[in-house]
Amino acid sequence: MWEVPSKTDELDAIMLCRMGLERTLPIWQAPDTTLREIKLLTRERSQYQKKKTAAINQLHAYKNGFDVPKIIIERLEQEIESLLDTIVIIEQQLSVLVEQEKDIKQTIDRITKVPGLGVISVLTVLAETNNFSLVNNIKQLVSYAGLDVQLNQSGKSSKRARISKKGHRGNGNSHIRKALYMPALAACNSKNSSLHDFYEGVIEKKPCKKIGVIAVERKLLILIYSLWKSKEEFDVKRHQSQKEISCTIQKNKSELVLTLN
């Protein structure tokens, strides 16, 4: 795809025409009605969660502040209670939609067997990708979520690699990243999780916990896609055995290093 330094309606039309002639583009498919409704509800829930967190932080500041009128604290507590009630209602609406769709329910039941992955997280991924109809492979999915690594190097200048947050369409899906952040954090902190060793391996090479959490986010996203595509059940024993194999290999490497020294 060629680039031009300027932007006008005429140049945009030429670019779009050339793209249509040079590439075989997939036929656009309208989003599934139920998944679209789920997407709107999960996004609405996320907004209320953000408001709730801000209100709780504000309440903490007021309670620890000097001489804050009691009526202000009471109003804020009422607001938090109202936000919590709204979140519960949205979750109930989501539950009803899932129960109505047999395929979605079966997918959710299978994938939520992965430790740390909850219904809302998986629903968000499915809804934001229209049940993965927007992606054809893992690389495209990771790029769509903005979890692909972006390098910035020119001549002697080299900046730290970071996730792009852009996606293959120019706007990485932040809703997917938000939905997987807490499950990834839980997996990183759980020593019983097979992803904990993966996390430890990442931060051992690059001593930055945030990089490790993002790597686990990407791993969880790929796992969701793989389980959806294969229609298989999550096998805890298989992942546990992989963890044991990894530990054995690491132990053997350590023993070899000690022997050589």
Side-chain angles (χ1 to χ4, degrees):
M1 193 68 182
W2 56 288
E3 296 182 5
V4 291
S6 303
K7 177 175 171 57
T8 65
D9 290 344
E10 184 180 356
L11 288 172
D12 287 346
I14 293 171
M15 292 279 285
L16 289 171
C17 180
R18 183 162 182 174
M19 182 177 70
L21 292 170
E22 292 179 351
R23 299 188 179 187
T24 303
L25 301 174
I27 299 174
W28 180 81
Q29 295 179 353
D32 179 84
T33 305
T34 303
L35 282 172
R36 175 170 171 74
E37 190 173 350
I38 289 172
K39 180 169 74 171
L40 293 173
L41 285 171
T42 52
R43 288 187 176 188
E44 184 186 20
R45 180 185 177 277
S46 179
Q47 291 171 355
Y48 278 101
Q49 284 278 21
K50 187 176 181 180
K51 291 177 183 178
K52 184 199 74 174
T53 301
I56 290 173
N57 291 338
Q58 186 65 65
L59 180 63
H60 177 76
Y62 281 156
K63 285 185 174 180
N64 290 278
F66 174 72
D67 200 21
V68 178
K70 187 178 179 181
I71 188 65
I72 293 178
I73 293 176
E74 289 177 352
R75 272 199 296 264
L76 195 52
E77 288 175 337
Q78 290 173 2
E79 181 184 346
I80 293 170
E81 188 176 347
S82 175
L83 289 168
L84 286 168
D85 290 341
T86 304
I87 290 169
V88 170
I89 291 170
I90 294 171
E91 289 176 348
Q92 289 172 347
Q93 291 172 340
L94 285 168
S95 180
V96 170
L97 286 171
V98 170
E99 289 295 330
Q100 290 174 351
E101 295 291 332
K102 184 179 178 181
D103 290 342
I104 294 177
K105 188 178 186 307
Q106 288 178 346
T107 302
I108 294 292
D109 290 342
R110 284 191 297 103
I111 297 177
T112 50
K113 290 180 181 178
V114 177
L117 281 178
V119 174
I120 299 298
S121 299
V122 179
L123 265 181
T124 300
V125 174
L126 294 178
E128 292 295 333
T129 59
N130 195 26
N131 211 14
F132 296 110
S133 65
L134 298 177
V135 295
N136 298 317
N137 51 59
I138 289 174
K139 184 178 179 181
Q140 197 179 52
L141 174 63
V142 171
S143 177
Y144 177 73
L147 287 169
D148 51 329
V149 178
Q150 183 182 53
L151 298 176
N152 192 339
Q153 185 175 3
S154 178
K156 294 182 179 180
S157 174
S158 180
K159 296 182 180 179
R160 182 185 298 175
R162 60 185 65 194
I163 58 171
S164 69
K165 296 186 180 180
K166 291 181 180 179
H168 72 286
R169 295 184 180 180
N171 53 346
N173 195 302
S174 61
H175 301 286
I176 293 177
R177 295 198 301 273
K178 288 177 184 176
L180 293 178
Y181 180 76
M182 291 307 295
L185 201 61
C188 293
N189 293 327
S190 174
K191 293 185 178 180
N192 295 325
S193 170
S194 58
L195 290 172
H196 175 75
D197 292 331
F198 172 75
Y199 166 76
E200 291 289 341
V202 172
I203 62 174
E204 186 179 346
K205 295 177 182 177
K206 296 181 180 180
C208 176
K209 292 184 178 180
K210 186 176 181 180
I211 292 176
V213 174
I214 291 170
V216 173
E217 272 191 78
R218 186 164 55 244
K219 201 85 170 176
L220 281 174
L221 179 60
I222 293 170
L223 181 57
I224 292 171
Y225 178 67
S226 300
L227 291 173
W228 169 84
K229 192 173 182 179
S230 66
K231 299 188 185 305
E232 293 179 355
E233 297 284 340
F234 176 71
D235 191 347
V236 179
K237 291 182 179 179
R238 189 178 75 179
H239 283 263
Q240 189 66 30
S241 64
Q242 288 176 350
K243 176 182 175 182
E244 290 171 358
I245 291 170
S246 176
C247 291
T248 303
I249 292 172
Q250 191 65 37
K251 182 180 178 182
N252 291 339
K253 283 183 179 179
S254 301
E255 290 175 352
L256 181 59
V257 170
L258 290 171
T259 303
L260 291 173
N261 290 339

